[in-house]
Amino acid sequence: MTYPYQNFYEMITANAQDQPKKTIIFVDDAKISNLEFLQKVDSFARFLVHSGIKKEDKIALIMPNSAEFLIAFFAISKIGGIIVPINNMLKREEDIYILNDAEAKMLVGSAKFAQQTKDVQSTTGVEKTVWIDTIPDAAGDHVLFSEVMEIPPFRHELHANNAIDDLAILIYTSGTTGHPKGAMLSYKNIFSNLHGGQERFDLSKKDRFIVYLPMFHSFTLSISVLLPVYIGGSMVIIPSILPFSNIIKQTLLKRVTVFLGIPDVYNALVRAKLPWYFLWFNSVRAFISGGAALSEDTLTRFNAIFQRAKMLEGYGLSECAPAVSINPVHKQKALSIGLPLDGYQVKIDDEEMVEVPTGQVGELIVKGDGVMMGYWKRPTATDETIINGWLRTGDLGKIDEEGYIYIVDRKKDLIISKGINIYPREIEEVLYLNPSIKAAAVIGIKDDHSGEIPVAYIELDTEKEAITEKEIKSYLKEHLANFKIPKHVYFLEELPKTATGKVLKRVLKENHK
């Protein structure tokens, strides 16, 4: 594959030359044009160099969705630095681990997260912190973002001219056990995703994306932030997902055409009492779902409400920059994650990495320009994950006769009870059809007699009629074989979830008694 750019900075210089006055960023009541954005990036890049940041140095970002996030992101890229976006919901110890593991020299942060980051200069290799709002009371070298922006921009100074195969981003994966690992993503990895997204969604410069999911997440970063820049479009930045009514308002007022969400968001939308004028006058032509599995019930209800737009479910993982597949606009299949993006190959293999027949379940493996360079400082883990160019996803899936992919479950979530395979997602799909259930997760628990037994954790919809464990089991028996019925049902006020709404089954297993 060939791509129009070698690095991120080339994208914004091209946009500034082609459409200098076009708004690239809407945030609250402010607008930033392509030319203004380039100038801000140049100012921050000059600051980085004069602060001693060199090519391949790591700079971490821990902040809310903001224009400052993007300015720092592109400026780091301009000078050849490595961008390390970090989950702003982590605790202090988790942040310190990642900053040390990544060998970060600078942090761009926010006072909103000062409790976990203000003292990192004494516990990590971070030498300077840039604050986008206010400087907390902390020892060390600190500077305000607004002061940095007063530095005159010099466009042609200190441009690293990164090559497409260079390391661009370290994305830390949450993982199922142990510490997170840094997935090394090159410019080519990211551009392959952007190319695939443009082709699959038939995007143009007229398209406008809304960005309310956290920017630090690979799904948001590639598909919701970098993709509109790649196509010369625009984005509407929402600093916080709450109140959700503001997202609805901004989608309507800013004429958003592409709406990215996670199942939790779409579950909320089908339950919400949306104003009639939003349904009639919104400009959205494509709703994209990722980050976790979308239930068939949510998809059916959503399509009944939003009849003028397409709901496109996709699939990806951080190690693949992250998108792997998505349903095409012309033909979607329920419960399918669609077809591979342009230039990607997907196979279903058995334990020996031998391809299985069409329709059979095995591990989904991926090959193409999106496959990461490897795990940062973890050659053994890299060799176990990437074999002859094929990325082992750890997800169990199958492919139908038309090439559409279906995720059956996580390989590590598979439950084997008395020698029989039980796929938690199959049970969860049935649970989600019950109107009283807002969220559900099925996990396997060790058992002396069966090897493992399935148990269910349920988050009830407080606006619906309550349901008991006995009623849930009776309901499941109407739809599933007896051996698939969870032996126990536990109720939680809220299931633990990742930033994209994926239930943290690892946490449920750790806390299970």
mmCIF file of all heavy atoms in Angstrom, residues 17 37 103 135 173 181 296 313 335 391 400 427 434 441-442 473 504:
data_model
loop_
_atom_site.group_PDB
_atom_site.id
_atom_site.type_symbol
_atom_site.label_atom_id
_atom_site.label_comp_id
_atom_site.label_asym_id
_atom_site.label_seq_id
_atom_site.Cartn_x
_atom_site.Cartn_y
_atom_site.Cartn_z
ATOM 1 N N GLN A 17 -2.417 24.463 3.650
ATOM 2 C CA GLN A 17 -2.172 24.998 2.307
ATOM 3 C C GLN A 17 -3.415 24.921 1.434
ATOM 4 O O GLN A 17 -3.723 25.848 0.692
ATOM 5 C CB GLN A 17 -1.030 24.213 1.650
ATOM 6 C CG GLN A 17 0.332 24.473 2.276
ATOM 7 C CD GLN A 17 1.387 23.494 1.799
ATOM 8 O OE1 GLN A 17 1.113 22.609 0.995
ATOM 9 N NE2 GLN A 17 2.604 23.637 2.313
ATOM 10 N N PHE A 37 -4.404 26.271 13.456
ATOM 11 C CA PHE A 37 -3.967 25.046 14.129
ATOM 12 C C PHE A 37 -2.492 24.766 13.835
ATOM 13 O O PHE A 37 -1.719 24.439 14.741
ATOM 14 C CB PHE A 37 -4.836 23.870 13.685
ATOM 15 C CG PHE A 37 -4.494 22.576 14.375
ATOM 16 C CD1 PHE A 37 -4.701 22.424 15.739
ATOM 17 C CD2 PHE A 37 -3.957 21.517 13.666
ATOM 18 C CE1 PHE A 37 -4.385 21.231 16.388
ATOM 19 C CE2 PHE A 37 -3.635 20.329 14.304
ATOM 20 C CZ PHE A 37 -3.851 20.193 15.661
ATOM 21 N N GLU A 103 9.622 5.540 29.645
ATOM 22 C CA GLU A 103 10.787 6.420 29.750
ATOM 23 C C GLU A 103 10.441 7.846 29.288
ATOM 24 O O GLU A 103 11.208 8.504 28.580
ATOM 25 C CB GLU A 103 11.960 5.860 28.948
ATOM 26 C CG GLU A 103 12.386 4.470 29.411
ATOM 27 C CD GLU A 103 13.377 3.793 28.467
ATOM 28 O OE1 GLU A 103 13.843 4.450 27.506
ATOM 29 O OE2 GLU A 103 13.681 2.604 28.690
ATOM 30 N N ILE A 135 -1.288 25.517 37.312
ATOM 31 C CA ILE A 135 -0.168 24.762 37.865
ATOM 32 C C ILE A 135 -0.458 24.441 39.330
ATOM 33 O O ILE A 135 -0.657 25.351 40.134
ATOM 34 C CB ILE A 135 1.150 25.551 37.747
ATOM 35 C CG1 ILE A 135 1.489 25.827 36.279
ATOM 36 C CG2 ILE A 135 2.293 24.785 38.415
ATOM 37 C CD1 ILE A 135 2.731 26.682 36.081
ATOM 38 N N THR A 173 -1.873 -0.945 26.401
ATOM 39 C CA THR A 173 -3.061 -1.795 26.412
ATOM 40 C C THR A 173 -3.394 -2.194 27.843
ATOM 41 O O THR A 173 -2.495 -2.405 28.657
ATOM 42 C CB THR A 173 -2.826 -3.072 25.577
ATOM 43 O OG1 THR A 173 -1.777 -3.840 26.186
ATOM 44 C CG2 THR A 173 -2.428 -2.721 24.163
ATOM 45 N N LYS A 181 0.974 -3.209 28.551
ATOM 46 C CA LYS A 181 2.107 -3.244 27.629
ATOM 47 C C LYS A 181 1.961 -2.124 26.613
ATOM 48 O O LYS A 181 0.846 -1.785 26.192
ATOM 49 C CB LYS A 181 2.168 -4.588 26.907
ATOM 50 C CG LYS A 181 2.353 -5.785 27.820
ATOM 51 C CD LYS A 181 2.558 -7.081 27.048
ATOM 52 C CE LYS A 181 1.331 -7.521 26.290
ATOM 53 N NZ LYS A 181 0.258 -8.003 27.169
ATOM 54 N N GLU A 296 -27.493 -7.639 19.579
ATOM 55 C CA GLU A 296 -28.449 -7.635 18.466
ATOM 56 C C GLU A 296 -29.688 -6.818 18.822
ATOM 57 O O GLU A 296 -30.257 -6.123 17.971
ATOM 58 C CB GLU A 296 -28.843 -9.059 18.096
ATOM 59 C CG GLU A 296 -29.752 -9.141 16.876
ATOM 60 C CD GLU A 296 -29.985 -10.567 16.416
ATOM 61 O OE1 GLU A 296 -29.648 -11.503 17.172
ATOM 62 O OE2 GLU A 296 -30.522 -10.745 15.310
ATOM 63 N N GLU A 313 -21.119 -1.637 12.777
ATOM 64 C CA GLU A 313 -20.305 -2.185 13.859
ATOM 65 C C GLU A 313 -18.964 -2.639 13.309
ATOM 66 O O GLU A 313 -18.875 -3.249 12.238
ATOM 67 C CB GLU A 313 -20.996 -3.359 14.547
ATOM 68 C CG GLU A 313 -20.180 -3.885 15.722
ATOM 69 C CD GLU A 313 -20.857 -4.993 16.504
ATOM 70 O OE1 GLU A 313 -21.920 -5.474 16.071
ATOM 71 O OE2 GLU A 313 -20.311 -5.374 17.560
ATOM 72 N N LEU A 335 -24.722 -8.801 14.362
ATOM 73 C CA LEU A 335 -23.745 -9.553 15.147
ATOM 74 C C LEU A 335 -22.401 -9.733 14.438
ATOM 75 O O LEU A 335 -21.465 -10.293 15.013
ATOM 76 C CB LEU A 335 -24.289 -10.921 15.568
ATOM 77 C CG LEU A 335 -25.502 -10.908 16.496
ATOM 78 C CD1 LEU A 335 -25.903 -12.333 16.847
ATOM 79 C CD2 LEU A 335 -25.232 -10.104 17.752
ATOM 80 N N LEU A 391 -0.842 -11.298 13.335
ATOM 81 C CA LEU A 391 -1.116 -10.891 14.710
ATOM 82 C C LEU A 391 -2.190 -11.796 15.304
ATOM 83 O O LEU A 391 -3.314 -11.877 14.787
ATOM 84 C CB LEU A 391 -1.596 -9.437 14.742
ATOM 85 C CG LEU A 391 -2.034 -8.893 16.101
ATOM 86 C CD1 LEU A 391 -0.824 -8.667 16.995
ATOM 87 C CD2 LEU A 391 -2.835 -7.608 15.944
ATOM 88 N N ASP A 400 -18.081 -16.209 7.594
ATOM 89 C CA ASP A 400 -19.095 -16.862 6.772
ATOM 90 C C ASP A 400 -18.652 -16.922 5.307
ATOM 91 O O ASP A 400 -17.555 -16.471 4.946
ATOM 92 C CB ASP A 400 -20.468 -16.208 6.945
ATOM 93 C CG ASP A 400 -20.553 -14.782 6.364
ATOM 94 O OD1 ASP A 400 -19.667 -14.387 5.579
ATOM 95 O OD2 ASP A 400 -21.515 -14.065 6.700
ATOM 96 N N ILE A 427 -24.441 -16.246 25.857
ATOM 97 C CA ILE A 427 -25.345 -16.085 26.998
ATOM 98 C C ILE A 427 -25.661 -14.607 27.207
ATOM 99 O O ILE A 427 -26.809 -14.229 27.479
ATOM 100 C CB ILE A 427 -24.709 -16.693 28.264
ATOM 101 C CG1 ILE A 427 -24.316 -18.150 28.017
ATOM 102 C CG2 ILE A 427 -25.666 -16.592 29.456
ATOM 103 C CD1 ILE A 427 -23.449 -18.760 29.104
ATOM 104 N N ASN A 434 -33.404 -9.032 27.544
ATOM 105 C CA ASN A 434 -34.348 -8.797 28.646
ATOM 106 C C ASN A 434 -34.363 -7.301 28.979
ATOM 107 O O ASN A 434 -33.322 -6.722 29.291
ATOM 108 C CB ASN A 434 -33.923 -9.608 29.869
ATOM 109 C CG ASN A 434 -34.985 -9.603 30.957
ATOM 110 O OD1 ASN A 434 -35.367 -8.554 31.453
ATOM 111 N ND2 ASN A 434 -35.461 -10.780 31.323
ATOM 112 N N ALA A 441 -22.479 -9.628 32.206
ATOM 113 C CA ALA A 441 -21.195 -10.273 31.929
ATOM 114 C C ALA A 441 -21.234 -11.684 32.495
ATOM 115 O O ALA A 441 -21.684 -11.898 33.623
ATOM 116 C CB ALA A 441 -20.055 -9.484 32.546
ATOM 117 N N VAL A 442 -20.759 -12.620 31.699
ATOM 118 C CA VAL A 442 -20.691 -14.012 32.137
ATOM 119 C C VAL A 442 -19.222 -14.421 32.185
ATOM 120 O O VAL A 442 -18.472 -14.203 31.225
ATOM 121 C CB VAL A 442 -21.472 -14.935 31.180
ATOM 122 C CG1 VAL A 442 -21.291 -16.399 31.572
ATOM 123 C CG2 VAL A 442 -22.949 -14.560 31.182
ATOM 124 N N LYS A 473 -32.804 -17.074 35.470
ATOM 125 C CA LYS A 473 -32.497 -18.445 35.064
ATOM 126 C C LYS A 473 -33.650 -19.063 34.277
ATOM 127 O O LYS A 473 -33.426 -19.765 33.274
ATOM 128 C CB LYS A 473 -32.189 -19.293 36.304
ATOM 129 C CG LYS A 473 -30.834 -18.987 36.936
ATOM 130 C CD LYS A 473 -30.561 -19.933 38.107
ATOM 131 C CE LYS A 473 -29.188 -19.700 38.698
ATOM 132 N NZ LYS A 473 -28.896 -20.612 39.829
ATOM 133 N N LEU A 504 -14.982 -5.181 32.448
ATOM 134 C CA LEU A 504 -13.695 -5.723 32.905
ATOM 135 C C LEU A 504 -13.937 -7.061 33.611
ATOM 136 O O LEU A 504 -14.102 -7.136 34.824
ATOM 137 C CB LEU A 504 -13.014 -4.730 33.845
ATOM 138 C CG LEU A 504 -12.427 -3.485 33.174
ATOM 139 C CD1 LEU A 504 -12.100 -2.427 34.212
ATOM 140 C CD2 LEU A 504 -11.173 -3.851 32.381
#
